[in-house]
Amino acid sequence: MVTMDEIVALCKRRGFIFQSSEIYGGLNSCWDYGPLGVEMKNNIKRLWWKVNVQLRDDVVGLDSSILMNPKVWEASGHLSNFADPMADCKVCKKRWRVDQLQEYKCPECGGELTEARMFNLMFKTFMGPVEDESAVVYLRPETAQGIFVNFINVQQTMRKKLPFGIAQIGKSFRNEVTPGNFIFRTREFEQMEIEYFVKPGTDEQWHKHWIEQRVNWYYKLGIRKENLRIREHGKDELAHYAKACVDIEYLFPMGWSELEGIANRTDFDLTQHQKYSGENLTYFDDETKQRYIPYVIEPSAGVDRSLLAFLIDAYEYQQIEKDDYRVVLHLHPAVAPVKAAVFPLLKKEELVKKAREIYNELKYKWIVQYDDSGSIGKRYRRQDEIGTPFGITVDYQTLEDETVTIRDRDTMQQVRVHIKEIIPYLEERIEV
Ligand code: ATP
């Protein structure tokens, strides 16, 4: 299996991901997505949006602000639950607020405690010119609350009936105590979340539905089945408001770790916001003529973690012949940052002209590259390493019969295709 160091090195070498503010020595756990990283990230977000919003009649999108009224975080529990120094008992695993202890040991079993950690994960800042308590605002630690507070706005303007969902992609911030493992756990990251509102009593069935949907999304985009598993949270792990939660885990180089969480959050969030805001957040059910607060199923995925999983899953250091190796990313064409590269076989005027024509047409549809420097073999290898699924070569035959060769990244086999057929050929293999 590929190591994290190899992935980090490839990302830097080929322009996927750089250390943030690198020329100043970087900033712990912050990363910048380079030209290829941003394309891949956009692909992941688009592919998520397409199946979860575009293709579904029962889900609509939202883009709420990062800064919100601080009351939101009071209602959600983020302020009170995450605001204290906490330590865990090494023996019975109970968690304690350190500032309430008489002695630094477990009050229940007397066991040794871990080092205390500040548990308020929220980044605090000030709104406006005066830096006092009344001006405190927080960077959101999840996108979900922006959805809950817009539940009525969206439901009424879109005239949605249960069950329906609201999807959002955006940045979240957590002052993580132990960030690390490259982009796996950072303090600034991007989430893709859906809050799917359902009638109480139908929640378990919808929870199953979303687990299935989400696992299939990863499979469809090429994640190997043996590297994905579903882990149900035990009673001791469940958040106090959640009825059930499963994690989709991926076999990262550091071991099985969470890629996405899918929780049944019951009516907790809307009930809390109703209480704290004084607004009526109930839903009127036309069929039963009753008003109630819906239950909610929440599939919550990380963009960065998905990207990391796609890279790791795709990476291969492959022996082609004796003493001949290549690094190849077997990315699904839909996820790959560059869809095709166009090459003139040689840097000859008539070949260059034709290759440029093809390149100029393809770039209206996809991110493609043109490359005429170095041997054709070297050019193929450069594209293999960034996962470009198709290499299109213009040779002397092209000038006679308008055909090109298209090389498949994985098999390295070439087929001859008429220039007019290039777009349908690629479309069929890229679009999902
Ligand atoms: P973990 O236990 O790994 O900290 P979590 O259970 O706190 O994760 P959730 O609150 O369920 O995470 O967030 C949903 C998703 O958001 C996660 O599955 C992950 O993909 C992503 N995510 C959460 N925290 C981070 C982070 N610090 N860096 C990158 N992605 C994150």
Side-chain angles (χ1 to χ4, degrees), residues 78 121 141-142 172-176 178-180 182-193 218 233 245 247-248 257-263 265 298-306:
H78 283 90
L121 299 184
E142 59 177 38
S172 294
F173 302 82
R174 293 183 194 175
N175 203 357
E176 297 278 3
T178 50
F182 194 28
I183 54 170
F184 178 83
R185 189 186 308 286
T186 52
R187 296 193 169 110
E188 172 180 347
F189 56 96
E190 220 167 341
Q191 291 184 305
M192 308 185 278
E193 297 194 294
Y218 293 104
H233 283 211
C245 185
D247 286 346
I248 300 177
S257 314
E258 176 179 337
L259 191 55
E260 168 161 357
I262 305 167
R265 299 176 66 103
E298 178 192 78
S300 174
V303 178
D304 315 81
R305 278 190 200 177
S306 302

Side-chain angles (χ1 to χ4, degrees), residues 97-127:
R97 269 180 68 169
V98 171
D99 55 348
Q100 292 180 336
L101 299 177
Q102 305 291 332
E103 295 174 66
Y104 202 75
K105 64 180 189 188
C106 177
E108 188 140 311
C109 74
E112 197 186 333
L113 296 179
T114 58
E115 225 175 89
R117 305 191 294 177
M118 278 310 289
F119 246 66
N120 199 326
L121 299 184
M122 283 201 293
F123 277 96
K124 226 180 191 181
T125 186
F126 300 96
M127 194 139 157

Side-chain angles (χ1 to χ4, degrees), residues 25 68 103 123 156 187 263 351 379 388 396-397:
M68 300 176 78
E103 295 174 66
F123 277 96
Q156 290 183 351
R187 296 193 169 110
L351 298 180
R379 284 180 269 164
T388 307
Y396 285 105
Q397 194 180 325

